[in-house]
Amino acid sequence: MRHALIAGTAALALTFAVLPAQAKNASFSTDSCKYDYSTPYDVDVTPAGLSFHRIDGVPSKIFVHDGAVRVDGKDVAVSRGDAESLRRYEEGVRRLVPQIAAIAREGTSIGFSAMTSVTMAFADGDQRSRLLEKLKRQQAEALRKIDEGIGAGHWSADRMAENVAGSVSDSVGELVGSVTSSAVTAALSGDSAKVAALEEKGRSLDKAMDREMDKRSKALDERASQICPQLDALAELQKGWSVRLDDGKPLELMTIKPKQHDHDEDEHAEKKVASS
C-alpha cells in the first residue's frame, strides 16, 4: 500500500507534464479533420500579407498577399483563378490565427489549473505559497508569450514548444518533489491515520480534477474541432491551385497527409492480404 501511495501521488502530479510533449508536435488533427496538417514554415500574418519562412529548406521564404505570390524574392505568375484561390487562402489563415491563439491560451490555463490544484492539495506552508506564486508568474508569462506570438500573428512550432516546456519544467520538478515527499513521509511514519488521510486526499483530488479537467478539456476539444473544417477548406484550396515553383513542384504552404490511423489500417490490411 505504501508503494502504491507514493507512485499514485507522484503520477497525479505528473499528469500535466505531457503538455509540453504535445506542443512539440507541429501537426494538427482531430477525428473531424479529413487529414493531418502541418507546415514546415514559421508564419507571420501582417496587414501587408502572409510570410512563410524557414532557415532550412527550399524555398526559404514565400510571401502571399491579395492573390500575388513571391518566392525567395521573385514574383511568381499566377492565373486569375489561382489569384482568387490565394485570396481566399489568405482570408482563411487570417480567420484561423486568433482562434488558434484562444485555444493555446485555454490549453495553457488548463495545465496551470491542474498544477495549482495539486499544489493546494499536497504542498504545505511556505513551500505551498512559494509554488503558488511561481505558478502564477509562470502562467502570466506563458500567456504573455502566446499573446506576443500566435496572438499577434506569429506562428513558430519550435518557439511554441519552447515556451510551453520552459514555463512548466522547473515547477514540475519542485511540485513532484513535494508530492513524493509528502507520500514518503506519511508512508515511513508508520501513522496509519496519516497515510489514510493522504490517500483520501489523493482520491478526492483525483475525482475533482477529473470532473473539472474533463469538462474543460471537452470544451477545448470542441473548439479545436471547429478548426478542422477551416483547415480542410485551406487544404482543398491548395490542392486546387496550379501555382508551380521554378523546379516545377507545386506551391505548398501546408503539408497534407493521410490520417495516421488510416495509414495504420491500410498497412494492416496489406499485411493481412500478403499473409493469406
Side-chain angles (χ1 to χ4, degrees):
M1 181 180 69
R2 293 177 180 179
H3 292 299
L5 172 65
I6 296 171
T9 51
L12 182 61
L14 283 167
T15 54
F16 52 80
V18 297
L19 293 174
Q22 293 173 343
K24 292 176 184 177
N25 187 353
S27 65
F28 182 95
S29 179
T30 71
D31 289 341
S32 61
C33 286
K34 290 183 179 178
Y35 306 97
D36 289 335
Y37 300 108
S38 63
T39 178
Y41 299 99
D42 290 345
V43 185
D44 291 324
V45 181
T46 72
L50 308 182
S51 174
F52 298 80
H53 49 92
R54 58 185 173 182
I55 296 176
D56 299 319
V58 177
S60 62
K61 184 173 183 179
I62 301 172
F63 187 80
V64 176
H65 183 56
D66 194 24
V69 181
R70 190 163 62 249
V71 178
D72 289 338
K74 182 180 178 180
D75 291 333
V76 176
V78 299
S79 67
R80 182 177 299 179
D82 284 339
E84 178 58 28
S85 180
L86 287 162
R87 289 189 187 95
R88 291 168 59 192
Y89 192 95
E90 181 178 356
E91 291 170 359
V93 172
R94 290 185 184 280
R95 285 193 299 269
L96 268 177
V97 166
Q99 298 175 57
I100 295 173
I103 290 172
R105 286 183 60 88
E106 177 62 10
T108 297
S109 295
I110 290 174
F112 276 98
S113 290
M115 286 190 283
T116 298
S117 295
V118 175
T119 300
M120 291 294 294
F122 289 100
D124 296 315
D126 292 341
Q127 185 184 45
R128 175 192 288 181
S129 299
R130 186 175 66 255
L131 272 173
L132 290 175
E133 182 60 32
K134 177 184 286 188
L135 289 172
K136 183 178 179 180
R137 290 196 310 269
Q138 290 181 327
Q139 180 173 0
E141 177 67 7
L143 294 176
R144 181 187 67 79
K145 289 180 177 179
I146 290 173
D147 290 341
E148 293 179 354
I150 186 64
H154 309 297
W155 161 257
S156 169
D158 290 340
R159 186 165 59 238
M160 181 73 76
E162 180 182 346
N163 289 346
V164 175
S167 68
V168 300
S169 59
D170 57 341
S171 287
V172 166
E174 187 171 357
L175 182 51
V176 170
S178 173
V179 173
T180 305
S181 176
S182 298
V184 170
T185 299
L188 296 181
S189 67
D191 187 334
S192 59
K194 184 181 294 185
V195 172
L198 189 58
E199 287 180 329
E200 179 57 32
K201 183 186 294 186
R203 283 192 294 268
S204 298
L205 177 62
D206 194 16
K207 292 177 181 178
M209 286 181 65
D210 277 347
R211 288 194 299 269
E212 179 64 21
M213 294 301 110
D214 283 350
K215 181 179 178 181
R216 295 181 67 179
S217 294
K218 286 178 180 177
L220 188 61
D221 285 344
E222 289 177 3
R223 294 176 69 178
S225 293
Q226 293 171 11
I227 298 292
C228 280
Q230 300 174 69
L231 288 172
D232 293 338
L234 293 179
E236 292 304 314
L237 286 171
Q238 177 175 291
K239 289 192 293 183
W241 63 47
S242 58
V243 185
R244 293 293 183 271
L245 305 178
D246 286 342
D247 59 5
K249 293 181 180 179
L251 174 68
E252 292 186 348
L253 303 177
M254 61 192 296
T255 303
I256 307 167
K257 294 183 178 180
K259 285 180 163 300
Q260 185 61 45
H261 64 78
D262 292 339
H263 178 67
D264 292 342
E265 289 174 0
D266 291 342
E267 283 190 346
H268 178 70
E270 290 174 2
K271 291 178 180 178
K272 191 172 182 180
V273 170
S275 61
S276 61

